[in-house]
Every structure is written in structure tokens, then in C-alpha cells.
Amino acid sequence: MVRVAQIINRMDYGGIESVVVNYYRHIDHSRFQFDFYVTEDSLLPQLRELEDMGAKVYRIPPYSHVISYHRCLKKAFKDRGYQIVHAHLSTMSLFALYAAKRAGVPVRICHNHSTAQWGEGVKTLLKYMLRPWNQLFATDYFACGDHAAGWMYGKHKLQSAKVSVWPNAIEVDKFTFHDMVRESVRKELGIPMDAFVVGHIGRFTYPKNHPFLIRIFEEVVRQEKNAYLLLVGEGECEPEVKELVGQMEDSHKVLMVGSRSDCDRLYSAMDVFCLPSFYEGMPVVAWEAQANGLPIVMSTAVSHEAGVNDNAIYMSLDEAAGQWANQLLKMQRIPVETAGKKVPNISVYAAKLQQYYEERLKDIS
């Protein structure tokens, strides 16, 4: 049995950690076990489940404490004799990959899940400055989709087949729409059964563009008085969003329910999903929503791979909030029996990842 070091930043309810845990759930634990390296302030809602499956979880300093982060990881990699280190930190993976290289780890995977947008100023500049170093210290190049791969590694490397694309595959059946679940969730949240519910699941961070989502909903509720906005997540921009909601005439129709472990249930309570992001890698929520049959409206900044169903629409962020609202109000669910057919299934891709690990171990033996 081989232990693979999975390097994550803060481990809460976010998309990246859910993807890695999902792959872990479906891999053969008699052959591969994952060790999770996460920051000290992680909430780790998955801890019990991970340990029950045989994983080990190690809390480490954040990568912003560069020296202590490097020393901690280098020692851990060397002492525990890892053959594979798999880093999921976008451009910040370079710090873990450098530590892995110095510790003599033969297989060092850079797995990119994101892109960038200049609205974040210095943070974006730092991403662009650090981006080339990941390729210097990595031996293997992964990404969640073509868009994320092209941004991190360049189109030439992507076209040369040096990059492996691993979709943020999901357990499709888990997200199937159920009438009884819809009724239960709406009753729990105080949402009328005949209400029109716009949903969004994601951390309250700049890329998710919550302020524009609030403006879109204001336009929705002008046309449809019995409308509600369901926001799931937490993050540093939450106070700003709460202030914007508080200024609304219909603020009671915006439900901010925090981070939830039952998002699979929440999709059934929604009527449409809205994702007006400034940038994304490959948002797993897009596929979860579509597996549920939800229509989804996304910004054109979201990867083209995200829209797999016929009721997935892309709109420019240059279009007015009212135009987004008009699109949301006219969309319809698709039947349960066809909803998840085009969504990548985790059982297939976990088996492929295991095979990849096996082949790389043969390469270095």
C-alpha cells in the first residue's frame, strides 16, 4: 500500500477539498491511501470520515510563512518517504513542490484548479510571477480542465499532451433531484413551495462576484415577487454581501445559510443556479447543479467545460443585471433521467487516477 501526500490549503467545505476527498472516497484504499497536509486553521469537517477510511491528516503552517512551511513539509516528505506528492495550491504549489524536490520525492504533481483576473491587483500579479516556478519543480502537470491547464502551463504544453486533465468529477447519483427533498429543505428554510429560488454555492470571495449576484436578484424580485435567493458558503467578503443585502427592500428574501455539508439536498430546493464569477478553474458546483437537472447561468469567464447540459447558458459580465435576471426567469429544469448523463462520474476518473499513480510508480522503480 502506497501513501500519497495531498497538499491542500485550508480544508473546509470548499470546492478543491471536496474534489480531492471525492477522488479519495472512490480509490482503492488497499492500494493507495492519502495523507492530507492542511493549514493549522482548517475546520476539517471531513476529519472523521477521512480517518475512518485510513487517511492521515497533518496540520501545517500556512504557505505565507514561507520558511516554516518549507521546513515542515521537507521534513515530513523525507521522514515519511513519500514517492508521490500531489499539490493543489494553484501557483502557490511551488512551495510544496520545491520542498518535495529537496526531500527527494520522485513524482511531484502540480494540479491546477484555478486561473486569475486582474481585479485582484497585487494578488493576481503575484500569481503571474510565481506561475513559471511550478513547472520548474513539478514532474507531472495536472489541471481540472483545458482552461485551467492553458492558463497555468501554456497552450503549447497543453497541446503537446504533457498536461493531464482531471475533471472535478462527482458522484452523479448523489445529486439527483427529489421532490420530497425539495419539500423538506424548503420547509426547513422557510421558503414557500411555490417560490422561485435562485441558488448559489461558493465561498464569499472576490472571484465569485457576489455583489453582482445581489444586483441580479434585485432585478429578479422586481419581476417575480415570490422569489428567493439562497446563498451557501462563508468567506472574507461575507460582511460586504450582508451590507448589500441589508440595503435591499426585500432583504428577507435573501437566505445566507453558511457552509453546509448537505449541498446535495439544497440543489433540489432551487429552481435555477447562477454563477457570475470573475474567473474559475472548473467549478464543481456547476456539474453538481446540472446533475440535479438545474438550469444554470454562468459568466463567460467560467470554463467552457462547465456547461454540459442543454439548459446551461453563458452570459457576459458586461450585460446588465436585468438581462441576467430575464434569462434566469425563463429557464427550466431538465428531466431526472437525463440530467446527469453528461456529467463526469467520479467512479470512472478515480479508477483512471489510480492507474496513473500505478504507472508512475513503475516508471520510478
Side-chain angles (χ1 to χ4, degrees):
M1 189 265 291
V2 177
R3 303 200 75 90
V4 179
Q6 303 286 342
I7 318 301
I8 299 173
N9 190 27
R10 183 175 175 178
M11 195 161 184
D12 299 330
Y13 290 105
I16 293 175
E17 51 264 48
S18 69
V19 169
V20 180
V21 171
N22 213 17
Y23 270 94
Y24 179 52
R25 288 188 185 112
H26 293 85
I27 209 164
D28 181 357
H29 296 155
S30 68
R31 180 56 184 142
F32 289 96
Q33 284 287 350
F34 287 0
D35 288 352
F36 291 81
Y37 286 81
V38 304
T39 55
E40 296 165 333
D41 61 345
S42 297
L43 296 178
L44 276 168
Q46 316 89 340
L47 181 59
R48 177 171 293 182
E49 179 191 2
L50 294 178
E51 291 180 339
D52 287 347
M53 289 189 290
K56 294 182 180 178
V57 179
Y58 300 100
R59 294 180 183 266
I60 58 175
Y63 52 63
S64 56
H65 298 172
V66 177
I67 296 176
S68 57
Y69 183 79
H70 173 78
R71 287 175 177 169
C72 180
L73 283 182
K74 180 186 173 186
K75 185 177 189 305
F77 295 159
K78 194 168 185 178
D79 290 350
R80 297 181 181 121
Y82 293 110
Q83 295 176 290
I84 302 174
V85 166
H86 194 154
H88 302 268
L89 306 174
S90 184
T91 55
M92 299 299 173
S93 289
L94 78 94
F95 298 113
L97 296 171
Y98 178 56
K101 183 173 183 178
R102 292 198 64 198
V105 178
V107 179
R108 305 181 297 275
I109 301 171
C110 177
H111 194 151
N112 185 42
H113 297 267
S114 187
T115 58
Q117 198 262 357
W118 282 107
E120 291 185 286
V122 174
K123 183 177 179 180
T124 301
L125 179 61
L126 185 62
K127 284 184 178 182
Y128 277 97
M129 290 174 61
L130 296 179
R131 184 172 54 171
W133 296 92
N134 287 278
Q135 298 185 47
L136 180 62
F137 300 130
T139 59
D140 299 61
Y141 311 103
F142 284 12
C144 61
D146 289 344
H147 185 51
W151 183 85
M152 175 67 88
Y153 309 113
K155 291 183 179 179
H156 176 73
K157 184 162 284 189
L158 176 61
Q159 293 168 355
S160 69
K162 292 183 179 180
V163 180
S164 299
V165 172
W166 296 91
N168 295 342
I170 65 170
E171 191 175 341
V172 173
D173 292 343
K174 180 179 178 181
F175 296 92
T176 302
F177 173 81
H178 295 287
D179 279 314
M180 290 182 64
V181 174
R182 179 182 181 86
E183 183 177 350
S184 174
V185 173
R186 287 196 171 204
K187 184 177 180 180
E188 171 196 334
L189 298 177
I191 301 173
M193 284 304 298
D194 61 347
F196 178 78
V197 178
V198 179
H200 181 277
I201 298 176
R203 283 184 57 78
F204 285 80
T205 57
Y206 169 82
K208 300 300 183 183
N209 198 11
H210 282 85
F212 186 53
L213 179 56
I214 298 301
R215 294 203 299 276
I216 293 170
F217 180 69
E218 287 181 299
E219 296 295 330
V220 168
V221 82
R222 283 194 179 99
Q223 299 181 53
E224 173 53 71
K225 295 301 180 184
N226 193 21
Y228 286 76
L229 176 61
L230 178 56
L231 299 178
V232 185
E234 297 175 341
E236 59 266 25
C237 294
E238 191 171 350
E240 175 191 357
V241 176
K242 285 183 176 179
E243 183 176 350
L244 290 173
V245 171
Q247 296 168 3
M248 292 176 55
E249 182 178 346
D250 296 294
S251 59
H252 64 287
K253 293 186 175 182
V254 179
L255 306 179
M256 301 175 67
V257 298
S259 293
R260 299 277 294 235
S261 60
D262 62 343
C263 289
D264 53 305
R265 296 176 63 246
L266 300 184
Y267 289 113
S268 287
M270 302 172 187
D271 292 296
V272 64
F273 199 87
C274 189
L275 198 65
S277 305
F278 284 123
Y279 67 89
E280 293 276 0
M282 195 6 265
V284 66
V285 293
W287 283 343
E288 291 174 352
Q290 288 171 88
N292 186 267
L294 273 173
I296 180 171
V297 180
M298 298 172 280
S299 77
T300 51
V302 177
S303 170
H304 67 87
E305 299 113 314
V308 295
N309 287 343
D310 292 337
N311 60 350
I313 300 294
Y314 288 88
M315 294 186 68
S316 170
L317 291 174
D318 292 330
E319 296 189 64
Q323 293 174 286
W324 279 69
N326 292 339
Q327 184 64 60
L328 290 171
L329 285 163
K330 69 182 183 182
M331 298 186 75
Q332 300 291 325
R333 279 185 169 273
I334 61 174
V336 171
E337 57 269 20
T338 61
K341 288 190 177 296
K342 297 179 181 179
V343 178
N345 200 311
I346 188 61
S347 60
V348 173
Y349 285 94
K352 289 183 178 181
L353 179 62
Q354 180 170 321
Q355 182 180 4
Y356 187 97
Y357 285 158
E358 297 277 13
E359 291 174 355
R360 291 297 283 122
L361 289 173
K362 289 178 183 177
D363 292 341
I364 62 176
S365 62

